[in-house]
């Protein structure tokens, strides 16, 4: 696996990326050898990276402590060193109030708290359970289409991409016919090979589209999340645009890759696949949690910035330093998970960082779990003998995205 070449100063300020040898996985499912060695040596490490102060956290307890510490900020532009990497025009473009409005994952309390409270009303367990019936219909419809077309199929194109896209369209109130636009935009936005000009172009395009949709929601209230926010909150247009685009990205890109990699992991472990097919009622919940832990698709980790000196694990993180919590390393911390390199769907549910931790823990975690459970149950039930339609070495991973996954997953099944 390779990453983009060394970013320029502006891009590095926008999206810090680990050195390639810490991201080049040993295999589709296993962390980079250097990352594994660092994990064995301790929970936190200072590494050389573009002559910048950077700490890599590999231990889960240390990661949880830092992610819940109010001295660690999610806002990179609170660090003067990073602000100064942008020329004034770029600073206005990326760090200005308009462009950052609604992007609550890069804000701190109390601003973050306001957004979180508004959204928490929409992501209740009751509402997520009410969505289950709609999710089941969407999943059944996509499996119907694959069966009607007959094998082989590309699981990503035909199932893993459209299912979460249709679900987030349903939740937000985005017209289904528009889903192709934001799918393409999201892939480009998350690609570490996209240059600064490309980021500006795709950001402008997404902002323009969502502005029109927000105006529609303000004019005509419907039964969807954006309409609710438009008519029951004090959010500005810019805030709603930023929030909606954030939810679109988070709501389909991560789940798409969890579905594709989850099926690939099951095919790579046929005994686990058989056990889940034979007993989904008992094993599905733990299987989903194990996939979340084992796959750890947030490839670049979770980034925080020290607002003051922080002492942890016998080291001092200095004010202004960047901290990257490695999700795959923390999820394979043997202190939290015995024999973490093994994929076991019956593993008792334990702690993992796949949805983050602290005030920024993913609001949509229950929605993702429901989508995964419904999808794996239906795929295994209705596609007997599901298997790869190509040799395993012909399944190619996405090499430059911040979210790990596979580009295509050709499958076949018994008819």
């Amino acid at each position: 696996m390779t990453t983009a070449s060394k970013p320029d100063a502006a891009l590095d300020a926008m999206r810090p990326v680990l050195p390639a040898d810490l991201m080049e996985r040993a295999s589709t499912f296993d962390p980079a050898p250097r990352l594994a060695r660092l994990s064995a040596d301790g929970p936190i490490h200072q590494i050389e990276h573009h002559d910048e102060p950077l700490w890599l956290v590999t231990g889960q307890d240390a990661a949880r402590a830092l992610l819940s510490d109010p001295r660690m900020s999610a806002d990179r532009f609170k660090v003067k060193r990073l602000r100064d990497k942008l020329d004034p025009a770029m600073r206005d473009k990326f760090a200005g109030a308009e462009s950052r409005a609604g992007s609550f994952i890069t804000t701190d309390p109390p601003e973050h708290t306001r957004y979180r409270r508004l959204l928490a009303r929409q992501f209740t367990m009751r509402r997520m359970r009410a969505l289950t019936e709609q999710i089941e219909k969407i999943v059944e419809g996509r499996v119907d289409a694959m069966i009607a077309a007959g094998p082989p199929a590309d699981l990503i194109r035909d199932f893993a991409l459209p299912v979460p896209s249709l679900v987030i369209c349903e939740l937000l109130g985005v017209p289904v016919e528009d889903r192709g636009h934001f799918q393409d935009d999201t892939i480009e936005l998350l690609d570490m090979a996209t240059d600064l000009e490309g980021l500006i172009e795709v950001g402008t395009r997404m902002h323009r589209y969502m502005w029109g949709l927000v105006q529609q929601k303000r004019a005509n209230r419907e039964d969807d999340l954006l309409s609710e926010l438009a008519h029951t909150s004090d959010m500005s247009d810019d805030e709603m645009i930023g929030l909606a685009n954030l939810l679109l990205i988070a709501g389909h890109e991560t789940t798409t890759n969890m579905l594709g990699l989850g099926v690939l992991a099951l095919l790579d472990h046929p005994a686990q696949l058989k056990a889940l097919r034979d007993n989904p009622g008992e094993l599905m919940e733990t299987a989903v949690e194990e996939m979340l832990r084992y796959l750890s698709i947030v490839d670049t980790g979770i980034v925080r910035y020290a607002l003051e000196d922080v002492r942890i694990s016998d080291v001092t993180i200095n004010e202004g330093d960047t901290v990257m919590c490695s999700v795959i390393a923390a999820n394979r911390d043997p202190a939290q998970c015995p024999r973490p390199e093994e994929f076991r769907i019956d593993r008792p549910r334990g702690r993992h960082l796949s949805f983050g931790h602290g005030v920024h823990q993913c609001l949509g975690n229950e929605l993702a779990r429901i989508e995964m459970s419904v999808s794996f149950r239906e795929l295994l039930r209705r596609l007997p003998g599901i298997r790869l339609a190509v040799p395993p070495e012909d399944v190619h991973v996405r090499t430059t995205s911040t979210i790990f996954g596979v580009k295509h997953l050709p499958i076949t099944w018994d008819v």
Side-chain angles (χ1 to χ4, degrees), residues 52-71:
E52 296 286 352
L54 178 62
W55 295 90
L56 177 66
V57 183
T58 57
Q60 187 168 149
D61 283 342
R64 286 175 174 271
L66 289 168
L67 292 173
S68 59
D69 192 321
R71 297 171 296 177

Side-chain angles (χ1 to χ4, degrees), residues 125-182:
M125 283 294 295
R126 181 184 62 82
R127 183 161 191 162
M128 293 304 100
R129 286 170 180 156
L131 269 173
T132 299
E133 184 176 344
Q134 293 167 295
I135 293 171
E136 289 171 343
K137 290 180 180 177
I138 288 170
V139 168
E140 290 168 4
R142 295 313 306 172
V143 176
D144 286 344
M146 285 197 298
I147 290 175
D154 179 357
L155 189 77
I156 305 300
R157 180 196 64 205
D158 299 330
F159 185 85
L161 187 57
V163 165
S165 297
L166 290 167
V167 170
I168 200 65
C169 284
E170 186 76 33
L171 180 66
L172 294 180
V174 176
V176 170
E177 61 269 20
D178 293 341
R179 78 173 193 266
H181 300 301
F182 70 76

Side-chain angles (χ1 to χ4, degrees), residues 37-54:
R37 291 194 299 270
L38 286 176
S39 298
D41 288 341
I44 184 166
H45 317 269
Q46 189 168 32
I47 61 175
E48 294 182 8
H49 187 53
H50 304 330
D51 301 321
E52 296 286 352
L54 178 62

Side-chain angles (χ1 to χ4, degrees), residues 97-111:
E98 178 182 330
S99 63
R100 303 189 68 209
S103 185
F104 68 101
I105 64 170
T106 58
T107 62
D108 300 325
E111 184 181 9

Side-chain angles (χ1 to χ4, degrees), residues 333-401:
D333 185 341
Q336 301 292 332
C337 178
R339 299 166 73 177
E341 73 285 352
E342 295 183 1
F343 177 63
R344 288 179 31 217
I345 63 169
D346 62 345
R347 190 187 297 273
R349 181 170 178 170
R351 302 196 306 171
H352 60 71
L353 291 183
S354 297
F355 292 116
H357 181 66
V359 296
H360 284 280
Q361 185 174 27
C362 176
L363 265 172
N365 65 85
E366 287 304 321
L367 178 61
R369 287 181 168 105
I370 292 169
E371 289 183 68
M372 291 173 65
S373 296
V374 172
S375 294
F376 293 128
R377 182 179 291 109
E378 193 71 2
L379 287 169
L380 296 186
R381 183 177 73 86
R382 298 188 58 198
L383 301 182
I386 184 172
R387 57 194 181 274
L388 287 178
V390 296
E393 58 269 22
D394 288 346
V395 176
H396 301 296
V397 298
R398 299 169 61 180
T399 59
T400 59
S401 178

